[in-house]
Amino acid sequence: MPKSVLTALVLLVLSVCVCGVSFSQGRTVNRDKSDKFKRIYDKSSYVASQSESEFEFVISKGLLTVHQRDKIDYITLKSNVDLYFNKFYNDNIDLIDGSFKYTCGKKKFYRKVFGNYEISNVFYSDAKLAQYSTNLLLEGTEVTFRSHSEYTDPKYLTKVFFQDDSPIEARTISFVIPNNVDVELLEMNFDNYKISKKTEAVSNGKKYTYTCHKLKKLKTDPNSLGFLYYAPHFVVVTKSYQLSDSKKIVIRNVDDLYKWYHSLTEQVIVEERDLELKVRELISSVESDEEQIKAIYYWVQENIKYIAFEDGLAGFIPDEPQNVFAKRYGDCKGMAILTKHMLKVAGFDARLTWVGTNKIPYNYNTPSLAVDNHMICTLNHNGKFYVLDATEKYMALGNNAERIQGKEMLIEDGDKYIRRIVDVNNAISNLIERTETIKIIDDKLIGEGKVSYEGEAKKDILYISTNSKVDDQTALFNYLSVSNYANNDDVIVNNLPEVNRDVTLEVDYTYSLNNKVTNFDGQLFISCDWRNYIGDAIIETDRESDFYFGRKVYNVVNKTIELPNNYKVEYLPEAISATIDDITIQINFKVENNHIIYSNHILVPHGIVKKEYFQPWNQTIKKINEFYNDQIILSKN
Amino acid sequence: MLNKLKLVIILCFISIINIYANKRANEIMQSMWYSNNLAFSVTETPEKWENESAIIIAKYHRLEYKKIALSNELLHNDYFHQRIKLNDKNAINKYAELSFPTGRIGHDVYVGFKVIKPNGKEFIVDNNDAVEIKAESGNNKKGYMKLAIPKLEVGDILDYYICDELTLVLGEDTRYCISHSFSPVQYCLHQEYPIIEQQIELKAQRRCSIALRSTNGAPEFKLKVNEETGDNYYSLVDKNRDKLDGIRWFYPYRALPTIKFKVDYVSKKYSKKKWNVLLGKPGIAKSSILEDELITFIKSPVYSVLNVSIPRKYVKENIGKKGSDIDKAKWGYYSWRHYRHEKEEVKLISNYKMGSFYLDNDVSERYYLDFMHCFLKVIKVPHEIVVAADRDIADVDEIILDDEMRYFIRLKDGDKYFYLTAGNKYSFPGQLPPEVVNTKAYIINPADWSIKKEFLNTDRDFLNTENTNLSLAISDDLKTCKIHNTSSIDGNQRHAYQKELIDYYDRMADEEAYFHIYRNFKGALYSDLKKLNSLKASYLDNKETYVNNNLKDLVVNMYDFSIDTVNSFICHQTGIYDDKPEFKFSYNMQTEDLIHKVGRNYILDVGKLIQGQVKIEKEELNRKQDIYMYSSRKYNYTIKVDLPDGYTVQGLDKLNINVENDQGGFMSTASIESGQIVINTSKFYNQYFSKAETWDNYIDFLNAAYKFTEQKLLIKKL
């Protein structure tokens, strides 16, 4: 074969390879537009120049469904961008179509992968994900994603968000609602956004169009209660629709919501006989009501493993209690219904109860499936409602998990219901207190200490220690005593704390540490608090939400350091005393009778640093770090 | 009528399949749960293991390989059966949710799970409760099954089996179904939990060859005959194994009883090819490689079409006949390296998205061996072939699989050897990979095909050396430290830095002194050029950001203090040629976390400047196992700190440390020179392998280095 022909063939092969990504730059690329957006969205690889979602309510064959149609125009701001669009669906949302095209209308190669969407802590659910992806080689490439899905039951359309995975230059959400459909659109977190609304008549109904510009990418700030607290969105409440001959109720109010929930729980076939033997065994050796309740509640906590199935209606209907008991696993609903019926067998008045965790900012004034995400059991005993959440392993009776404190419960009461608020504990219920007495001998820190835990920390430590291998349990309690020590240091834990929810968890320890005292020409430089508590809590000031510690914080450290013979205090770090909103911080040293008394008290009563206090908070944390880095100086008399 | 008939036929077919599947499931259940294997009837566990999280009472693993006669199908059956006692919640959590493959056409999966309560009561878990997790893309379907095990409590025994019967289709036309290699298996007989008894059985039939070997005191496989079928199989029974702890610097495959095996199918027609010499006779286990077999294997190029014109032409034009053999080999290596990577530009700017034509063309060591041997033979340069094994896998005497072999070429260079290895785009000739240094290897001379064994040594004490110079300036307010870092990294360790910090354009800037560089996307179609140039411009615009981000990621993980900024990266030497082997670069970083006010003076955390050091935990102090190191290595630091005006320093005396022994050392000196604090440190690991008795030596110098990181200097006001 002549060389020139061979060369031509090679070039042909090369062109085929390269052309696989389709080169026709003229129509698919708009650099002027991308240059403009790059100045605005300088950290993004791509931006949605226009994002439109339409929700059309349609009555067909006597059923109300909602069609969602999305059209999103993207433009890349960098070269070689992998663009993904995730579309979720499940048994109540049919995914009808989805595709990428160049915005100019030309075909664009894309991949589609669909399958189960695995949710953390959920063993199996009907949640499915279709992921559409395409590679955009050149900066300024414009593509459009279109999708069409259908909510086959309108009560599952609960929330609609303005923001998405990329910044959006112009966002439009419209609802097309026939006159005979009663829908309420609750506007959430609209205050900080300029959102315009337009209402227009369409055939047999109205179209409501909301528009907003220059939206940031939707993200959940770390250490936050979640974006429901700050992201602009709708809660869609579909109340009812009128057919020619009848009115169909969806969910108009909390009565309807409870009615539906209750109808589902009524479907559960309960065989309390299967539980009787175990209940009798548990309560036979205890007399008081409280001890009996504890015996049952704690047994469920410890013996029913959390394994969640959220498959269609199974996401709302509890498993049969006898099944949960037999299988020894269940989700929150399974644990709640088992707790309820074991208590009923023991003669108590226990109820199933719906509640939303603190990730959800709504209460039952909003009649929507979006209000709650959790089921517990409540016990009405001697006029007091006890909250029993068996998913909270090692939670003592009478204490409530931080995540549901202050949240409204919907408690079953036959055909009716009771609305109550979960009691809110104060910060002292989460007290972590450390007390040490310290001597300095041969440039070593010799200490005896005790640390005690209550509330959320106690619950977590008990769970971790009882679910760890033996070797790891030892390492855990050593860590709780002294967080970081070298192999030539000695740390001894004097007690293995008992697994008892009802008493304070205490760890007693002694230590001898080599690296906490530095001797510079006879002067001793001592650091006595190496845990640097909240020292790393500098808050990014550009975040959207309040900073949440995950629990109320009350941390107390008291250490007494005995001055070595012939030494006097040369220098003590300057005390810190700060009050920021409801937060108080007191860290100081003082000298009393040949002893240095160190005190570190930090109280964040709601576990939250509000956004408006980020600046003083960060200034204080900076000072606290300076304090921790500072040292006591002792010099010879 | 016809459609009805079709439907009936289909229903009949499905019924027959279902009947067969149920029958097979029942057969497997009988063989797993109701066999005469007494190990699986045990319920009591040894007292010595009562504190263990779980105890494997019995484990049975049978692997079968068989070619179907007159078919292009290969059967691979994998039967796994385990009986485990769960002693704590940790083990319960681990076994309460299990997964197994989803069955499909050609892949039958049979499973059974039962729980045995402490009182002896058993119940079988309903497999129908399993749920499928699946993902689909076009015709590709993937998935697995998940099953929650009910009623599981501490003290229970879980007895379960997962059996796969897989039919592999080798190809449409049986004439071309010449071979198939199954993945090699190597595992240590010690596992996460202690084991009372474990059995492994291997059966290879009909053109399937099996290589297997027990090492480090593992029991030998024994040939047995199945009384019912008359089939031969190999069986290993092992008892009473303690759990395997995670240990630092430890190679379980070299120190603990281990087995390894691999099965290969080769059609009869191709079985006589010389490169199949390592395979044993079908169905008969092969447990060693004879020297003659190895020579035959090496003599027979696996890659028969080798075009060595590129290095030959380059050497002919640039080195000539008068050049030394070393130079010819070296520049042959470089020219071929250049050829392999010169088209990487498009790959770089398009980030692997332009199609396979542009993908990296690094080659396998065997291809490299065949290629370089052919090239050196053509240009008549005498050389030897080295066959070695990685030190963490096996001794060369124990290798039985081609997968275990490393291949190199070496030339005599006076009284030393000059090695040529396959490597990557940053490799240069003359260096041995650290994983084979100080190991025993076969040396084959292709001139006469003689063979011998020899230890591979290099003429250098340390293959991997990092030299770092830090110049630290403290700001006037004594809050901030600005650090100028100049690093020089030698040996294998440099690759991790080169990969992140230099690119095609940096390398080609060096390469153009020796090679013609194709520029402007020569060879691409005119219509593509605009696009390629656009991609290149976009990449180069962002390159500095990419590099500084990569550098920050590297640096932040190196030092135990927070770093605010990292910038001003400069590459001083790429380290891709043997005459300039070090990768040299510099950058600046800034931190507010190194100097702190204490009273009216300041504390400088000077110890943290030598990066985070290995911390030996208290529970690691007593060691019974030998120590295995990846390589010898050395880390040198020179730190210069400008003392602020009006301040003096205290604490330098604590920075003078000298711990040195056979295993390694840590040395540091500190002084004041011309108003500067000058600190020199050196930490080095001497050995590739040390007996457990020397562990205290390691602790001595590792503790010294760790202690150094805790040292502080007092910057004191005059």
Side-chain angles (χ1 to χ4, degrees):
Chain A
M1 189 181 287
K3 196 176 175 183
S4 57
V5 176
L6 192 66
T7 309
L9 275 176
V10 169
L11 286 174
L12 182 65
V13 171
L14 173 64
S15 71
V16 168
C17 292
V18 175
C19 283
V21 289
S22 179
F23 288 178
S24 56
Q25 197 171 335
R27 299 176 60 192
T28 57
V29 174
N30 186 341
R31 284 297 295 264
D32 291 342
K33 194 171 173 182
S34 64
D35 286 346
K36 188 185 89 180
F37 283 133
K38 272 169 84 171
R39 288 191 285 275
I40 307 167
Y41 306 102
D42 56 339
K43 288 179 183 164
S44 298
S45 302
Y46 59 94
V47 62
S49 54
Q50 176 73 40
S51 172
E52 298 167 7
S53 297
E54 182 188 83
F55 295 85
E56 184 185 11
F57 289 72
V58 176
I59 298 173
S60 174
K61 295 177 184 172
L63 294 173
L64 176 64
T65 63
V66 186
H67 287 264
Q68 179 181 352
R69 292 181 186 85
D70 297 306
K71 175 178 169 287
I72 303 143
D73 298 331
Y74 291 105
I75 182 165
T76 57
L77 309 186
K78 288 181 180 168
S79 63
N80 196 27
V81 170
D82 284 323
L83 202 157
Y84 293 90
F85 193 90
N86 293 330
K87 192 78 192 162
F88 293 92
Y89 60 106
N90 58 32
D91 289 357
N92 299 300
I93 308 170
D94 292 341
L95 180 60
I96 297 167
D97 194 16
S99 65
F100 272 111
K101 269 187 178 178
Y102 283 112
T103 303
C104 63
K106 291 186 72 173
K107 278 187 181 175
K108 174 77 184 92
F109 173 77
Y110 64 93
R111 291 181 193 282
K112 179 187 175 188
V113 179
F114 56 97
N116 294 77
Y117 179 64
E118 294 200 72
I119 303 165
S120 169
N121 286 331
V122 175
F123 184 76
Y124 181 77
S125 83
D126 66 347
K128 293 189 177 60
L129 170 70
Q131 184 176 72
Y132 299 83
S133 62
T134 188
N135 178 257
L136 306 171
L137 211 50
L138 291 186
E139 191 178 314
T141 307
E142 291 185 293
V143 289
T144 298
F145 179 78
R146 285 184 175 82
S147 72
H148 179 194
S149 51
E150 181 184 10
Y151 289 79
T152 52
D153 183 337
K155 65 173 163 292
Y156 292 100
L157 173 60
T158 54
K159 299 185 287 281
V160 177
F161 291 88
F162 280 85
Q163 290 157 288
D164 207 338
D165 290 342
S166 66
I168 302 173
E169 175 64 12
R171 172 72 166 134
T172 302
I173 299 173
S174 56
F175 297 90
V176 180
I177 303 170
N179 290 330
N180 56 346
V181 179
D182 184 5
V183 178
E184 188 176 5
L185 302 172
L186 302 173
E187 298 170 0
M188 303 292 184
N189 306 322
F190 273 37
D191 290 351
N192 296 326
Y193 294 85
K194 199 173 170 185
I195 299 171
S196 64
K197 180 183 173 185
K198 188 174 82 179
T199 307
E200 56 190 314
V202 292
S203 63
N204 198 31
K206 282 184 180 162
K207 182 174 181 179
Y208 304 92
T209 303
Y210 295 80
T211 304
C212 186
H213 289 86
K214 295 199 170 22
L215 287 160
K216 286 182 187 171
K217 178 180 172 176
L218 180 61
K219 60 175 181 143
T220 301
D221 292 322
N223 292 94
S224 85
L225 283 166
F227 54 71
L228 290 182
Y229 283 83
Y230 55 84
H233 64 278
F234 294 100
V235 172
V236 182
V237 180
T238 308
K239 297 183 171 180
S240 63
Y241 55 101
Q242 184 71 49
L243 299 177
S244 57
D245 55 347
S246 62
K247 185 175 184 178
K248 298 284 183 186
I249 306 301
V250 184
I251 296 175
R252 293 167 302 182
N253 48 39
V254 66
D255 295 356
D256 291 339
L257 182 65
Y258 176 73
K259 196 174 168 186
W260 185 65
Y261 281 167
H262 187 57
S263 72
L264 297 176
T265 56
E266 284 290 286
Q267 294 172 24
V268 180
I269 298 163
V270 178
E271 294 288 351
E272 288 186 344
R273 278 174 306 176
D274 296 0
L275 313 176
E276 283 174 3
L277 194 64
K278 176 52 80 178
V279 171
R280 299 292 162 228
E281 178 196 319
L282 290 171
I283 63 175
S284 61
S285 56
V286 291
E287 288 186 359
S288 73
D289 286 356
E290 188 172 311
E291 291 301 314
Q292 290 186 0
I293 296 163
K294 277 184 185 176
I296 291 168
Y297 179 36
Y298 295 172
W299 184 88
V300 178
Q301 281 186 15
E302 276 196 47
N303 292 280
I304 305 300
K305 184 173 165 52
Y306 183 84
I307 295 180
F309 286 81
E310 293 180 0
D311 193 7
L313 269 183
F316 295 90
I317 306 176
D319 195 358
E320 294 166 3
Q322 59 274 15
N323 272 353
V324 179
F325 174 74
K327 291 187 298 191
R328 296 289 198 272
Y329 67 72
D331 57 11
C332 63
K333 301 181 295 298
M335 290 189 208
I337 200 166
L338 176 62
T339 309
K340 169 189 165 175
H341 286 284
M342 288 181 79
L343 286 165
K344 275 188 75 183
V345 169
F348 296 100
D349 175 9
R351 322 277 184 93
L352 289 182
T353 301
W354 293 261
V355 67
T357 61
N358 58 3
K359 297 276 179 193
I360 297 175
Y362 327 124
N363 63 19
Y364 284 101
N365 292 335
T366 304
S368 165
L369 302 186
V371 176
D372 50 41
N373 58 352
H374 191 35
M375 185 182 273
I376 55 176
C377 172
T378 47
L379 178 75
N380 182 4
H381 186 61
N382 294 336
K384 186 179 175 188
F385 271 91
Y386 289 91
V387 172
L388 310 178
D389 182 353
T391 66
E392 295 286 348
K393 309 300 179 188
Y394 302 100
M395 176 64 75
L397 180 70
N399 288 354
N400 302 322
E402 192 90 23
R403 63 181 178 144
I404 58 169
Q405 285 181 26
K407 298 297 296 180
E408 190 180 28
M409 299 180 284
L410 191 66
I411 303 167
E412 66 174 349
D413 192 22
D415 292 336
K416 296 180 180 169
Y417 56 86
I418 300 165
R419 289 172 67 173
R420 286 182 77 99
I421 304 293
V422 180
D423 289 344
V424 178
N425 299 339
N426 58 27
I428 202 162
S429 64
N430 282 346
L431 176 66
I432 299 173
E433 186 170 18
R434 184 180 298 275
T435 310
E436 290 181 4
T437 55
I438 300 169
K439 291 179 181 173
I440 298 160
I441 301 171
D442 296 334
D443 293 351
K444 288 182 184 175
L445 224 53
I446 313 288
E448 283 181 17
K450 182 172 83 175
V451 59
S452 62
Y453 297 89
E454 295 284 5
E456 293 285 312
K458 178 176 75 175
K459 180 189 75 178
D460 292 347
I461 292 166
L462 285 175
Y463 181 79
I464 294 166
S465 66
T466 51
N467 284 271
S468 301
K469 291 181 180 176
V470 172
D471 296 348
D472 297 334
Q473 284 173 20
T474 309
L476 170 68
F477 290 114
N478 284 348
Y479 172 81
L480 295 176
S481 305
V482 179
S483 55
N484 184 18
Y485 57 93
N487 59 42
N488 58 348
D489 295 330
D490 290 318
V491 175
I492 298 166
V493 174
N494 300 317
N495 68 322
L496 190 65
E498 63 173 323
V499 181
N500 187 343
R501 301 156 179 78
D502 295 312
V503 300
T504 304
L505 188 148
E506 290 182 347
V507 184
D508 292 319
Y509 56 90
T510 56
Y511 60 73
S512 168
L513 306 176
N514 291 282
N515 65 348
K516 306 300 180 196
V517 179
T518 311
N519 189 329
F520 288 114
D521 292 347
Q523 275 194 327
L524 302 183
F525 287 68
I526 302 155
S527 77
C528 79
D529 192 354
W530 44 86
R531 284 194 173 258
N532 297 356
Y533 193 68
I534 70 165
D536 59 354
I538 290 281
I539 302 172
E540 300 282 343
T541 50
D542 61 347
R543 57 185 275 148
E544 299 272 347
S545 58
D546 296 343
F547 184 93
Y548 179 46
F549 281 94
R551 61 188 62 174
K552 299 173 196 76
V553 175
Y554 190 21
N555 193 65
V556 172
V557 180
N558 290 308
K559 299 192 181 193
T560 304
I561 305 160
E562 186 180 315
L563 278 174
N565 284 339
N566 301 322
Y567 274 87
K568 65 175 183 193
V569 176
E570 179 76 29
Y571 169 79
L572 291 174
E574 194 178 332
I576 293 176
S577 176
T579 303
I580 305 160
D581 188 21
D582 57 355
I583 300 165
T584 54
I585 296 169
Q586 302 285 342
I587 308 175
N588 55 61
F589 286 101
K590 61 183 176 183
V591 180
E592 276 181 11
N593 301 328
N594 210 36
H595 289 83
I596 299 169
I597 312 293
Y598 169 66
S599 170
N600 181 326
H601 291 213
I602 295 169
L603 173 65
V604 188
H606 295 97
I608 285 176
V609 183
K610 290 184 197 141
K611 213 178 160 199
E612 58 264 39
Y613 294 102
F614 283 175
Q615 201 180 355
W617 170 268
N618 283 344
Q619 284 168 354
T620 305
I621 296 297
K622 204 173 169 190
K623 278 186 191 169
I624 289 173
N625 280 321
E626 285 170 6
F627 183 94
Y628 288 143
N629 285 317
D630 207 347
Q631 305 205 356
I632 301 165
I633 304 174
L634 305 183
S635 57
K636 288 193 171 167
N637 285 323
Chain B
M1 185 64 192
L2 195 61
N3 283 340
K4 277 188 181 174
L5 185 66
K6 275 184 186 171
L7 185 66
V8 169
I9 291 170
I10 289 168
L11 287 174
C12 286
F13 183 66
I14 291 170
S15 299
I16 291 166
I17 289 175
N18 277 337
I19 291 166
Y20 173 77
N22 289 337
K23 183 169 173 279
R24 185 66 188 135
N26 195 45
E27 282 171 5
I28 286 178
M29 183 178 71
Q30 292 294 328
S31 71
M32 292 290 143
W33 278 345
Y34 304 105
S35 72
N36 296 325
N37 192 337
L38 295 176
F40 284 91
S41 59
V42 171
T43 53
E44 297 301 315
T45 52
E47 206 173 305
K48 65 176 177 177
W49 290 333
E50 67 181 4
N51 284 331
E52 297 295 347
S53 178
I55 299 163
I56 297 172
I57 293 172
K59 190 163 91 166
Y60 172 77
H61 200 177
R62 186 169 89 234
L63 293 136
E64 297 178 348
Y65 308 85
K66 185 179 182 179
K67 169 73 172 56
I68 305 287
L70 302 174
S71 158
N72 60 349
E73 291 179 345
L74 202 53
L75 297 184
H76 172 36
N77 301 331
D78 186 327
Y79 304 96
F80 179 82
H81 182 193
Q82 181 161 275
R83 187 178 175 94
I84 184 167
K85 187 169 185 218
L86 309 171
N87 283 342
D88 63 17
K89 285 195 171 183
N90 186 277
I92 295 284
N93 291 339
K94 191 166 176 183
Y95 283 90
E97 298 173 27
L98 294 174
S99 60
F100 53 89
T102 305
R104 52 183 162 77
I105 294 171
H107 184 188
D108 297 319
V109 180
Y110 304 97
V111 297
F113 303 85
K114 67 177 176 182
V115 176
I116 299 120
K117 293 287 175 186
N119 63 8
K121 280 191 179 173
E122 291 187 9
F123 71 88
I124 294 173
V125 179
D126 187 352
N127 299 337
N128 293 320
D129 288 342
V131 291
E132 187 179 9
I133 306 295
K134 55 188 173 185
E136 295 178 28
S137 179
N139 292 325
N140 292 325
K141 293 181 181 178
K142 287 183 178 175
Y144 68 97
M145 307 295 290
K146 284 168 79 175
L147 180 66
I149 306 295
K151 306 182 193 180
L152 219 44
E153 294 171 301
V154 170
D156 287 351
I157 291 169
L158 176 66
D159 190 319
Y160 69 99
Y161 61 84
I162 298 173
C163 302
D164 289 43
E165 294 187 339
L166 179 67
T167 305
L168 290 167
V169 180
L170 291 167
E172 292 298 317
D173 190 333
T174 50
R175 287 174 301 170
Y176 300 110
C177 307
I178 56 170
S179 67
H180 180 83
S181 276
F182 290 92
S183 299
V185 176
Q186 181 170 27
Y187 70 81
C188 183
L189 294 180
H190 295 260
Q191 305 275 296
E192 184 185 0
Y193 301 116
I195 304 172
I196 297 177
E197 181 170 329
Q198 57 185 325
Q199 302 170 44
I200 300 152
E201 291 180 0
L202 300 170
K203 187 161 79 172
Q205 296 172 293
R206 292 190 57 82
R207 313 276 359 133
C208 288
S209 302
I210 182 165
L212 65 85
R213 183 161 184 146
S214 304
T215 58
N216 310 322
E220 296 294 333
F221 280 92
K222 289 179 182 163
L223 181 62
K224 294 199 169 180
V225 179
N226 184 313
E227 289 174 4
E228 288 177 18
T229 62
D231 291 341
N232 289 342
Y233 64 97
Y234 288 88
S235 172
L236 178 151
V237 178
D238 181 61
K239 295 182 179 179
N240 197 22
R241 289 284 170 205
D242 283 321
K243 71 177 174 188
L244 172 64
D245 288 316
I247 302 168
R248 189 193 300 271
W249 296 322
F250 183 61
Y251 294 159
Y253 293 154
R254 298 301 309 277
L256 297 175
T258 295
I259 59 162
K260 57 184 173 183
F261 56 86
K262 185 187 175 196
V263 171
D264 285 89
Y265 157 74
V266 181
S267 71
K268 192 172 183 181
K269 186 177 170 187
Y270 283 85
S271 62
K272 292 195 172 63
K273 290 283 180 187
K274 286 184 179 174
W275 37 263
N276 279 324
V277 68
L278 300 184
L279 305 178
K281 290 180 182 171
I284 299 172
K286 192 170 191 305
S287 299
S288 62
I289 294 175
L290 302 175
E291 290 184 349
D292 285 350
E293 292 169 342
L294 186 62
I295 291 169
T296 308
F297 178 65
I298 297 296
K299 262 173 145 175
S300 320
V302 173
Y303 301 91
S304 51
V305 182
L306 296 164
N307 181 351
V308 298
S309 60
I310 285 168
R312 190 174 67 165
K313 187 176 175 214
Y314 185 86
V315 169
K316 186 179 173 186
E317 290 174 359
N318 295 281
I319 308 298
K321 288 182 180 172
K322 290 181 183 173
S324 71
D325 285 349
I326 298 290
D327 276 347
K328 289 175 186 169
K330 186 195 292 185
W331 286 99
Y333 178 103
Y334 281 133
S335 61
W336 196 39
R337 184 187 72 176
H338 176 75
Y339 168 76
R340 277 163 32 216
H341 298 290
E342 69 177 341
K343 293 189 177 68
E344 205 178 79
E345 181 179 15
V346 177
K347 187 184 91 176
L348 173 74
I349 60 176
S350 62
N351 199 14
Y352 303 92
K353 293 295 187 307
M354 291 286 280
S356 57
F357 182 81
Y358 292 108
L359 285 181
D360 199 349
N361 49 356
D362 260 338
V363 296
S364 73
E365 280 192 353
R366 180 62 209 233
Y367 182 85
Y368 170 81
L369 170 72
D370 290 347
F371 185 91
M372 287 306 280
H373 168 56
C374 179
F375 162 66
L376 294 172
K377 201 170 141 187
V378 166
I379 64 168
K380 295 179 182 157
V381 169
H383 58 280
E384 292 176 319
I385 292 165
V386 180
V387 179
D390 284 354
R391 64 163 47 77
D392 63 328
I393 300 295
D395 185 275
V396 76
D397 289 331
E398 295 170 338
I399 58 176
I400 54 168
L401 316 171
D402 55 345
D403 308 70
E404 296 176 287
M405 294 181 193
R406 301 289 305 268
Y407 310 100
F408 316 112
I409 284 195
R410 75 179 190 185
L411 280 68
K412 193 85 175 149
D413 183 14
D415 57 351
K416 298 173 192 166
Y417 288 101
F418 186 80
Y419 289 93
L420 298 168
T421 64
N424 56 38
K425 65 189 96 171
Y426 313 109
S427 304
F428 47 74
Q431 283 196 315
L432 260 180
E435 53 270 24
V436 299
V437 174
N438 264 11
T439 67
K440 195 166 51 181
Y442 285 108
I443 310 296
I444 298 169
N445 187 340
D448 56 5
W449 295 107
S450 59
I451 188 167
K452 61 184 176 183
K453 279 186 220 167
E454 221 175 72
F455 275 90
L456 301 178
N457 292 312
T458 63
D459 56 330
R460 304 172 61 192
D461 290 335
F462 294 97
L463 276 173
N464 301 291
T465 302
E466 280 190 34
N467 292 308
T468 306
N469 293 309
L470 301 178
S471 298
L472 189 148
I474 301 169
S475 63
D476 292 342
D477 61 2
L478 282 88
K479 286 184 175 174
T480 306
C481 293
K482 289 182 180 173
I483 303 166
H484 180 68
N485 180 318
T486 307
S487 292
S488 167
I489 303 173
D490 183 17
N492 204 55
Q493 297 189 164
R494 76 188 195 283
H495 294 324
Y497 293 89
Q498 287 168 315
K499 188 165 110 14
E500 300 296 333
L501 301 175
I502 59 172
D503 67 3
Y504 166 87
Y505 295 106
D506 298 311
R507 284 187 289 109
M508 289 306 131
D510 274 11
E511 296 269 79
E512 69 181 347
Y514 310 106
F515 301 103
H516 173 71
I517 310 294
Y518 287 93
R519 297 195 189 281
N520 303 321
F521 306 106
K522 189 180 173 186
L525 293 181
Y526 176 77
S527 57
D528 298 347
L529 279 177
K530 193 173 175 187
K531 181 165 225 173
L532 291 166
N533 283 320
S534 169
L535 283 172
K536 182 179 175 180
S538 181
Y539 172 81
L540 291 176
D541 279 353
N542 292 300
K543 179 178 168 178
E544 189 179 346
T545 311
Y546 293 153
V547 171
N548 278 320
N549 286 345
N550 288 353
L551 181 64
K552 189 166 185 186
D553 289 345
L554 284 170
V555 171
V556 162
N557 287 320
M558 282 194 262
Y559 292 97
D560 284 343
F561 54 87
S562 63
I563 294 167
D564 302 322
T565 56
V566 178
N567 52 37
S568 307
F569 171 82
I570 298 171
C571 172
H572 300 287
Q573 184 171 295
T574 57
I576 61 170
Y577 281 95
D578 63 308
D579 59 340
K580 294 174 182 171
E582 301 90 5
F583 177 40
K584 294 181 178 177
F585 57 93
S586 64
Y587 61 91
N588 294 331
M589 57 185 181
Q590 188 166 310
T591 175
E592 291 189 1
D593 196 25
L594 212 55
I595 188 161
H596 305 290
K597 192 168 191 297
V598 178
R600 58 194 294 268
N601 302 316
Y602 292 83
I603 292 277
L604 179 68
D605 278 323
V606 71
K608 291 181 178 175
L609 287 167
I610 64 162
Q611 300 188 18
Q613 295 294 310
V614 171
K615 184 185 177 193
I616 301 296
E617 300 292 345
K618 215 170 182 71
E619 52 271 25
E620 292 181 277
L621 290 176
N622 294 315
R623 178 167 176 139
K624 292 175 185 164
Q625 296 80 12
D626 295 337
I627 303 115
Y628 296 80
M629 289 279 173
Y630 176 69
S631 75
S632 61
R633 54 203 183 274
K634 184 184 260 186
Y635 304 88
N636 298 324
Y637 261 89
T638 298
I639 300 163
K640 293 181 178 174
V641 182
D642 292 330
L643 257 180
D645 289 342
Y647 285 85
T648 184
V649 63
Q650 284 185 8
L652 287 176
D653 53 320
K654 294 190 180 71
L655 302 182
N656 290 305
I657 298 168
N658 189 348
V659 178
E660 188 175 7
N661 54 49
D662 286 346
Q663 273 56 49
F666 178 78
M667 292 179 284
S668 65
T669 60
S671 58
I672 294 281
E673 293 173 16
S674 308
Q676 272 191 325
I677 303 166
V678 179
I679 300 161
N680 287 295
T681 70
S682 182
K683 182 187 178 188
F684 44 92
Y685 297 82
N686 289 337
Q687 308 293 342
Y688 291 83
F689 170 81
S690 302
K691 298 296 287 179
E693 303 86 80
T694 65
W695 180 234
D696 284 349
N697 283 349
Y698 280 99
I699 291 171
D700 285 348
F701 78 84
L702 292 169
N703 272 356
Y706 181 74
K707 193 176 174 189
F708 183 92
T709 64
E710 297 183 325
Q711 296 302 331
K712 303 169 196 309
L713 292 177
L714 183 67
I715 309 294
K716 194 171 182 181
K717 204 166 182 61
L718 286 169

